[in-house]
Amino acid sequence: MTAKTVEISDAEWQIMRVVWTLQQATSRQIIDNLAAKNHWKEATIKTLLRRLVQKKVLATTTQKRSFVYHPLINEQEAIDLMTTNVFEKICQMHVGSALQSLVKQFPLTKNDISALETELRQKYQTAPEQLPCDCLPTMHLDYHGCAMAKSKKNF
């Protein structure tokens, strides 16, 4: 099963972060980490683990008397799908400002910044001067608040 077909809640993401970081984790490791970090009860964590196994996001094996959890979804793929899902929900006119806000808000390494600069320089070569609003399929909006009606047959 791929991440494209699975909804992972915010709480479930916390469990996945532990498993991705450790590459595999016993239920005790997950419980100890999340109980300390989030003050969650053991029963809550076990419920979330069971849901992730049911969703086929985690696999479980037993070693001696412990359950060991293995991710069935690659972390980067899951992150890419999650962020794409978020950006698909906003008007394409606001994607640039949303990205700028994220760059300002979160720490980045010099290597991250260099890679972003390279991507942006490449993208700049074919970038339009302005993106149309894509909020309403039957209207063409040059910018939010200024609609120029177009007939559906022009699309």
Side-chain angles (χ1 to χ4, degrees):
M1 181 169 287
T2 67
K4 293 178 186 177
T5 61
V6 176
E7 292 289 325
I8 301 173
S9 72
D10 291 346
E12 292 166 343
W13 267 95
Q14 294 297 311
I15 288 177
M16 293 305 298
R17 289 180 63 190
V18 171
V19 177
W20 282 322
T21 300
L22 298 175
Q23 299 178 350
Q24 68 176 25
T26 65
S27 53
R28 179 54 39 208
Q29 288 173 306
I30 296 166
I31 290 165
D32 290 348
N33 276 285
L34 292 176
K37 181 179 178 183
N38 298 329
H39 307 292
W40 290 349
K41 299 207 180 301
E42 187 170 324
T44 301
I45 297 167
K46 286 181 178 180
T47 298
L48 293 169
L49 284 166
R50 187 176 65 252
R51 287 182 190 162
L52 288 165
V53 170
Q54 289 170 343
K55 292 178 179 184
K56 295 184 177 26
V57 177
L58 285 178
T60 185
T61 58
T62 54
Q63 287 181 357
K64 297 182 184 177
R65 293 175 44 186
S66 296
F67 285 106
V68 179
Y69 293 90
H70 311 269
L72 295 176
I73 294 176
N74 174 283
E75 182 178 14
Q76 189 59 54
E77 179 187 5
I79 291 168
D80 291 347
L81 290 167
M82 178 186 60
T83 54
T84 297
N85 185 34
V86 169
F87 278 91
E88 285 177 344
K89 293 177 184 176
I90 63 175
C91 177
Q92 69 181 357
M93 292 178 65
H94 299 294
V95 169
S97 60
L99 289 171
Q100 286 174 344
S101 178
L102 291 173
V103 167
K104 287 179 188 176
Q105 187 176 355
F106 293 100
L108 298 169
T109 66
K110 289 182 179 184
N111 284 340
D112 292 333
I113 294 167
S114 180
L116 285 168
E117 288 174 335
T118 299
E119 289 296 324
L120 288 171
R121 273 193 296 280
Q122 289 175 356
K123 195 141 186 112
Y124 186 84
Q125 301 302 315
T126 58
E129 292 295 323
Q130 183 176 6
L131 291 171
C133 172
D134 61 350
C135 295
L136 304 173
T138 60
M139 303 287 277
H140 173 72
L141 301 174
D142 283 339
Y143 51 90
H144 276 248
C146 181
M148 295 183 296
K150 284 200 166 192
S151 68
K152 289 183 183 179
K153 61 185 169 189
N154 288 342
F155 286 86

